[in-house]
Amino acid sequence: MKNNLTLNYDSRLCRLEFRPIDDDPERVVKLLKDNNYNMIISSATIGYGWALFDSKIRPPAPKMNPKYIPELISLCHKNDIMVLSWGCFNIQDVRYDKENYVPIKMYPQWQQKYIDEVGHKTSEEANSVGMCMFSTPYREHLADFHDEIMDLGFDGMWFDGFAATGMPGMDISCVCDACSEHFKKDSGENLPQKINWNDKPFLKWIDWRGNQMIEAAQYLNTRVKNRFPDAVVHFNTHSFPKPGISYQRGIPLQQMPFGASQHSGLGPTNGIQQNPIQSKIAHAQ
């Protein structure tokens, strides 16, 4: 991965998340230069799981332009702009149309199962979708997909959706059959039957769940680094204050070897419109 960039990742403090399905690369780079951004988080995929390039692993997104991402990366590098690809750890952006979630259609046997105060629930019962990153081969499939993404010339991966939940709600996972066997092997306990903070198996499961989050992240990190040692790999660990984020998302209480890349965004659901102070701070930096 040769890009001739003059600054490393940590020195690039003015970052923008902007990941349309298609755009004019020259327009995007001009926007970045005019606003003094020196790093962009674009994307070769979207939350529903489609590919924005000619992938052998995932189907193409409707109306995607296979030339956009390679041309954007090339033009960014010519202008000393680092380019990371947004990627989805588990699930993100599936808020309005879960029926089009690609991974669950391709691999229904690897989907999550959920737990609440009543008991275990399937995707249909919980009205949520998401994939098990703890105990199924889905993580290997996902890493294979990221190999394809990195081969496009990206400088690294920025993983969003770092959570053990389903969407469009924040239903808590995972208690699928594979996790039942995995948890039994690791702890000697059966899975808890419902959320109960006075139940020792539930407390063990919460701790186990956090460890599995870290293990899955380490696996994805290693897969990228094995092929691209200089690549940047970051996870949105939600380490910034934000209402509504608690144990439900499965963010580990344990110390993690991964940080959260904070950046401003540009679009109808993130960034300048939603976080104007954050955007101004990014510019000030």
Side-chain angles (χ1 to χ4, degrees):
M1 185 169 54
K2 297 180 179 179
N3 50 35
N4 298 316
L5 298 176
T6 60
L7 296 174
N8 63 22
Y9 173 78
D10 291 334
S11 299
R12 294 176 181 271
L13 301 179
C14 204
R15 308 164 179 176
L16 178 73
E17 178 179 347
F18 182 52
R19 44 188 179 92
I21 291 177
D22 188 15
D23 209 312
D24 177 1
E26 292 189 1
R27 186 195 79 86
V28 175
V29 171
K30 185 178 186 302
L31 180 151
L32 296 171
K33 292 176 64 178
D34 288 350
N35 291 277
N36 297 315
Y37 285 105
N38 54 22
M39 193 190 90
I40 180 173
I41 295 178
S42 184
S43 184
T45 182
I46 60 176
Y48 288 104
W50 286 306
L52 301 182
F53 62 100
D54 292 326
S55 169
K56 295 180 180 179
I57 295 175
R58 294 282 183 90
K63 300 181 180 179
M64 75 92 174
N65 175 5
K67 295 181 180 180
Y68 169 62
I69 290 297
E71 290 178 1
L72 175 67
I73 293 172
S74 177
L75 195 56
C76 280
H77 286 168
K78 288 178 181 177
N79 287 272
D80 197 23
I81 297 170
M82 182 175 282
V83 191
L84 270 59
S85 179
W86 179 94
C88 192
F89 173 85
N90 169 17
I91 189 165
Q92 184 60 288
D93 291 354
V94 184
R95 296 179 175 89
Y96 310 110
D97 187 14
K98 65 182 178 64
E99 303 305 321
N100 277 322
Y101 183 52
V102 171
I104 210 169
K105 287 186 174 183
M106 296 179 68
Y107 305 107
Q109 71 274 27
W110 298 340
Q111 64 184 297
Q112 296 179 138
K113 196 171 181 181
Y114 307 92
I115 185 171
D116 63 14
E117 289 80 2
V118 176
H120 294 187
K121 291 186 175 180
T122 63
S123 291
E124 291 76 15
E125 292 167 338
N127 193 33
S128 285
V129 293
M131 305 303 291
C132 176
M133 288 290 292
F134 299 163
S135 311
T136 73
Y138 179 69
R139 72 166 73 171
E140 287 79 10
H141 161 83
L142 188 62
D144 291 341
F145 183 47
H146 297 151
D147 282 346
E148 287 191 322
I149 290 175
M150 288 296 297
D151 283 337
L152 296 171
F154 283 103
D155 302 303
M157 295 291 305
W158 190 85
F159 290 101
D160 206 358
F162 186 64
T165 56
M167 291 191 83
M170 284 290 115
D171 298 277
I172 298 168
S173 64
C174 181
V175 290
C176 69
D177 291 345
C179 278
S180 177
E181 294 180 10
H182 191 175
F183 182 67
K184 180 76 171 182
K185 180 179 178 181
D186 287 352
S187 70
E189 301 274 3
N190 294 322
L191 283 173
Q193 292 304 303
K194 59 183 180 180
I195 294 174
N196 180 357
W197 289 95
N198 295 314
D199 180 47
K200 288 185 178 179
F202 176 74
L203 299 179
K204 280 189 176 182
W205 178 78
I206 287 290
D207 187 60
W208 177 85
R209 181 177 178 238
N211 286 328
Q212 294 308 308
M213 289 285 288
I214 295 174
E215 184 178 310
Q218 287 174 325
Y219 176 79
L220 296 180
N221 176 72
T222 299
R223 282 287 302 267
V224 173
K225 293 285 191 176
N226 281 346
R227 296 186 64 233
F228 302 95
D230 296 327
V232 175
V233 181
H234 259 233
F235 293 79
N236 185 358
T237 57
H238 305 282
S239 57
F240 53 95
K242 187 175 182 180
I245 293 181
S246 65
Y247 87 95
Q248 280 97 334
R249 292 200 178 189
I251 307 304
L253 298 177
Q254 302 92 321
Q255 185 175 1
M256 292 185 291
F258 311 108
S261 162
Q262 298 307 315
H263 49 263
S264 64
L266 181 63
T269 60
N270 62 11
I272 293 173
Q273 294 90 334
Q274 183 176 332
N275 299 303
I277 298 301
Q278 180 178 310
S279 180
K280 290 178 181 178
I281 290 172
H283 278 83
Q285 290 174 325

